[in-house]
Amino acid sequence: MTQDADYERSMRRALDLAGNGPATGVNPRVGCIILGADGETLAEGWHRGAGTPHAEVDALSKLPAGGARGATAVVTLEPCNHTGRTSPCSVALLDAGISRVVYAVADPGERSSGGAERLRAAGVAIQGGVLAEEATAFLADWLFAAGLGRPFVTVKWASSLDGRAAAADGSSQWITGPEARQDVHRRRAQADAIVVGTGTVLADDPALTARDADGGLLPGQPIPVVLGTRPIPAGSAVLSHPQAPLFFDGSDLGAVLGDLHERGIRRVFVEGGPTLASAFVAAGLADEYLIYLAPTLLGGGRLALNDIGVQGIAEQRRLAITHLDRLGDDILVIARPLERNDHVHRNH
């Protein structure tokens, strides 16, 4: 087996290890393998969440003193170069005597990047881009948030085939069937925060929790975020959420996302009704669309989206459909803008 094949094999194992880490939170999921001179695996490690040792340090801790000298570190993300709750991984690798670092994707963070250059300057051999495509797909949302300084935003709605989110009297429970609703809860559990407007809280009194088919709470619970200036009743269900809700007036969505990013929120699920969904779309802050279509017709004016700033056909927001699925009688459409929203608020 060639050396490059050894690195690919080890990188694939490192990606498997990274999957053991928490899917949400401020830090990326990272895995690391330490290889000896003959390509044998000396140690493995992964990152278990904010405040815990990073993958490289976790792997190094499993070796005796001096056990990593002259070894190769294979890591899914470029070793970090900043001091946060832990010291820079680039320094830990240097101190351990690692002679080569192989990584999949570069760290896009303004404050955390530069580890590879630091190691190279100290005489460590560097090889990047090994299984980059697989690692990029694995870290997609985190890489996006790290590069833009704001969370990745998914806008979700459920509608009839004629695009209505509610009947003429405002009732909307339930347009979609149980399979689609359970899929929503599963995806909520994978997000860091769920955003609604005060209008939704006042009209529907949602709990904004992620629940299983029996109504029990799933292990992952997104932080509820309520936007708007209207007061909500003291007995609102959102106030009993397992996570303390956050409140913003919502006048500047970019600033809200910047604030959430500073709090360690990397993935946001917007589920707040037509007014809020339209505001995110109009502002160019929707990175993904999660649309559940039910085989029914409602008519009337309760559209899933309102004005998004499109006056003529030339201004239409073209999307790429990335996924289609059948959920019971309903259809799930996942789409993303054809152009990434790099022009919007950055919080560096």
Side-chain angles (χ1 to χ4, degrees), residues 24-25 182 184-194 207-212 215-225 238 240-245 265 267 269:
T24 61
Q182 193 53 49
V184 170
H185 283 281
R186 180 178 64 82
R187 293 176 186 275
R188 280 184 181 181
Q190 296 171 351
D192 296 312
I194 181 169
L208 301 183
T209 51
R211 301 180 298 276
D212 60 26
L217 294 177
L218 292 171
Q221 291 295 324
I223 297 171
V225 179
V238 69
S240 299
H241 195 283
Q243 302 266 26
I265 292 171
R267 289 191 286 176
F269 202 68

Side-chain angles (χ1 to χ4, degrees), residues 73 78-81 89-95 97-107 113-130:
E78 175 190 6
C80 68
N81 196 40
C89 293
S90 53
V91 173
L93 293 169
L94 285 173
D95 290 345
I98 290 287
S99 64
R100 177 182 292 271
V101 171
V102 178
Y103 66 88
V105 292
D107 189 329
S113 62
E117 192 55 44
R118 184 175 194 164
L119 289 160
R120 185 180 288 109
V124 176
I126 299 295
Q127 182 175 340
V130 175

Side-chain angles (χ1 to χ4, degrees), residues 122-210:
V124 176
I126 299 295
Q127 182 175 340
V130 175
L131 295 190
E133 187 173 344
E134 293 179 34
T136 297
F138 178 78
L139 289 169
D141 292 354
W142 183 88
L143 289 169
F144 183 99
L148 284 187
R150 67 163 179 83
F152 182 90
V153 175
T154 295
V155 174
K156 169 262 173 184
W157 68 77
S159 74
S160 60
L161 284 183
D162 57 344
R164 271 59 181 182
D169 64 357
S171 59
S172 61
Q173 296 181 342
W174 300 102
I175 292 176
T176 54
E179 295 89 345
R181 296 199 297 274
Q182 193 53 49
D183 188 72
V184 170
H185 283 281
R186 180 178 64 82
R187 293 176 186 275
R188 280 184 181 181
Q190 296 171 351
D192 296 312
I194 181 169
V195 181
V196 298
T198 52
T200 294
V201 174
L202 294 172
D204 300 336
D205 192 26
L208 301 183
T209 51

Side-chain angles (χ1 to χ4, degrees), residues 31-126:
C32 178
I33 306 289
I34 307 296
L35 299 178
D38 295 328
E40 73 277 19
T41 298
L42 302 179
E44 299 180 338
W46 69 89
H47 184 49
R48 291 166 173 80
T52 66
H54 288 190
E56 298 93 322
V57 175
D58 183 47
L60 291 172
S61 71
K62 298 169 183 175
L63 294 174
R69 192 158 302 281
T72 295
V74 178
V75 60
T76 54
L77 182 67
E78 175 190 6
C80 68
N81 196 40
H82 79 300
T83 300
R85 296 187 188 182
T86 59
S87 300
C89 293
S90 53
V91 173
L93 293 169
L94 285 173
D95 290 345
I98 290 287
S99 64
R100 177 182 292 271
V101 171
V102 178
Y103 66 88
V105 292
D107 189 329
E110 188 173 62
R111 288 172 290 194
S112 55
S113 62
E117 192 55 44
R118 184 175 194 164
L119 289 160
R120 185 180 288 109
V124 176
I126 299 295

